[in-house]
Amino acid sequence: MADDIRILMCPPDHYDVDYVINPWMEGNIHKSSQERAVEQWKKLHQTIKECAIVDLVKPAKGWPDMVFTANAGLVLGENVVLSRFYHKERQGEEPYFKAWFEENGFTVYELPQDLPFEGAGDALFDREGRWLWAGYGFRSELDSHPYIAKWLDTEVVSLRLIDERFYHLDTCFCPLSGGYLLYYPPAFDAYSNRVIEMRIPPEKRIIVEELDAVNFACNAVNVNDIIIMNLVSRTLKDKLAGAGFTVRETPLTEFLKAGGAAKCLTLRVTEPILEDVHATVSIESRVIRMEGHLLDAGILNQALDLVVENSGSFRVLNFNLGVERNSTSSAEVRVSAPSHQIMEEIMTELIDLGAVPPPQELCDINTETVTQGGVAPDDFYVSTIYPTEVRVNCEWVQVTGQRMDAAIVVTSNPPSARCVLLRDLQVGDRVMVGVEGIRTIKKVESHEGGTRKENKEFAFMAAGVSSERRVELLVEQIAWEMRQIRDQGGKIVVTAGPVVIHTGGAQHLSHLVREGYVHALLGGNAIAVHDIEQATMGTSLGVDMQRGIPVRGGHRHHLKIINTVRRYGGIRQAVEAGFINKGVMYECVKNNIPYCLAGSIRDDGPLPDTEMNLVQAQSRYGELIQGADMILMLSSMLHSIGVGNMTPSGVKMVCVDINPAVVTKLSDRGSVESVGVVTDVGLFLSLLVRQLQQLTRPYSLSEAF
């Protein structure tokens, strides 16, 4: 009824598009007709007066956007949260709106000066009074929502806006009577859309298409069963009519030039209040600290983007910029998230970037005890490849056995922490849960992209993946590094697939084993079978390796090899008996190079050496990569990914594959020591061997000319 609903408006005496603070203002400076604006505003004013009481606030010269009274503040009962405008172009409106609220008997609450919140433009009450929808992302900060919940004693549901065209919540979202909702889903992130769908049943959600959305169909005034809005499509009008609403259209084209329509031009000062609804807010905030080359390495930008992309918000509390070329910077950032779940997701990723809580805020981690063997508690922390420390007894303790996708088991006396696979968890183990009290230790990267206090020869490995980069240049760098590792008593592990054999790479990989460049070999049943097939029968999968054509009956060769090796009892026995006298497996046996062949469901036979127990094969892989300085991954996606997951950061990794997707997947682990080479593995190995031979033979003066 008109007696129940009061709406505040401001005449457009000084309205114009004087500046640009949203996309709609672009190209419209001083292009709005004052005459038409007044005419359209009066029609809106009259239409609203037919169904509600309208109060007026006096416009002030120099503040053309005062006409958009929705942004004056947020009113519930006798209380109002005054707006803190994001842009300086509107901040001068605040005293005028404050004066009107106080003159009309409202208790005015004011947010901190540097905490933006733009009133009912970004905060809309459910028309049933059940909660407050609050937007953030462009004009209002998430951190304002707890203040609003407290001062207005209401539940706040936070929604993140992601389309700059819809910079205020009321431009794309309109709660309606009867629990209905008129909105444009693409304006929100995925999390916010899930929140909306959990609150509003499908039959109550009226989705607006883009054509209506950009005409500000959602920027509507709803009074009982009446919806007052700018011109809309017949389709949307029919949808609203089907839900029992009467649409009253009134053109507001002059105000669209400034990014507003019916709702923007009004502020409802009488909102429904339910006695059993009280202040609740799911927002969490945490302070993190980051240190390193935050700017030149892009770490800070990456962290802040990560927060926003995951539906969070941030405020930089302190930032100390390194004053010299090699100086590090530090920053303290308050991170906010709309829910505990989102905060945990954000913190997990921030930890991977080296973020930690201020040390004074945390003395110990949160743990839960394993009650069922092989099963971790809910919300257990999942380990990464990066060296990790956890807070135990008020001190940082290094996690041992670092790897991906494990739980962290801690003890207090003595303080210790170790990565443990889920299957290996035992009843009574204390497992870390949540993300508090954990930090990752990353190498400090210089602005050149290399690693400080490290040999720069491998700096190219931070350069990413490309099939267009000169393979020869990469091979030179890799060969040099391999030579250094070998000569210094280091360890190189090779993970290889059968493609190595098929592409003619067996002789080159054999050379690497023989010359001491391979200290462990990891693969599957297939690489051993086809290597032995080539060594003894000259074929690989029945294809003559010299002529490149299938031989008669060749499809049975691999099974004959498996059968013969099984008759001898294993690969070593077949070598000792003289059946195998060359090839990769031969060189491994002759040079006492340990190997592990992990089986799969596809394996024929398999060879006696193949470990068909997956758990045991994984464990053996883990043993063989311990202490590795480099892992060379040769055309074996599954084995390479498995090895990558159990390899800690700091190990140089080279992934070679003709398929860029495989290389990219390995590079995405995030290690700066990793490089992807997109090329034929046989060609790569031949180039690698040639380069290593050049490094070992005497220097010839003639080669310099």
Side-chain angles (χ1 to χ4, degrees), residues 351-353 384-388 402-403 439-442 648-649 669-672:
I351 287 171
D352 290 347
L353 292 176
T384 69
I385 63 173
Y386 303 113
T388 303
Q402 193 65 54
R403 58 157 296 153
R439 68 183 184 186
T440 57
I441 310 299
K442 287 194 168 184
S649 177
R669 347 173 30 256
S671 175
V672 299

Side-chain angles (χ1 to χ4, degrees), residues 25-40:
M25 290 177 161
E26 294 279 357
N28 284 318
I29 292 183
H30 304 313
K31 291 185 178 180
S32 177
S33 167
Q34 175 69 15
E35 182 180 350
R36 283 197 299 272
V38 170
E39 179 186 352
Q40 292 179 354

Side-chain angles (χ1 to χ4, degrees), residues 314-358:
F314 66 85
R315 181 172 293 271
V316 179
L317 304 177
N318 292 296
F319 183 77
N320 296 314
L321 178 64
V323 296
E324 297 182 357
R325 181 171 176 265
N326 291 321
S327 299
T328 59
S329 303
S330 63
E332 282 194 351
V333 182
R334 184 173 68 244
V335 178
S336 300
S339 70
H340 175 72
Q341 175 188 349
I342 296 297
M343 176 59 79
E344 293 290 289
E345 293 173 0
I346 291 173
M347 289 301 300
T348 297
E349 295 191 48
L350 287 177
I351 287 171
D352 290 347
L353 292 176
V356 296

Side-chain angles (χ1 to χ4, degrees), residues 378-414:
D378 291 339
D379 198 30
F380 74 97
Y381 176 80
V382 180
S383 64
T384 69
I385 63 173
Y386 303 113
T388 303
E389 294 180 348
V390 297
R391 199 81 169 158
V392 183
N393 297 345
C394 300
E395 63 181 78
W396 289 106
V397 175
Q398 179 76 45
V399 177
T400 60
Q402 193 65 54
R403 58 157 296 153
M404 287 182 64
D405 302 333
I408 296 179
V409 175
V410 300
T411 61
S412 298
N413 189 23

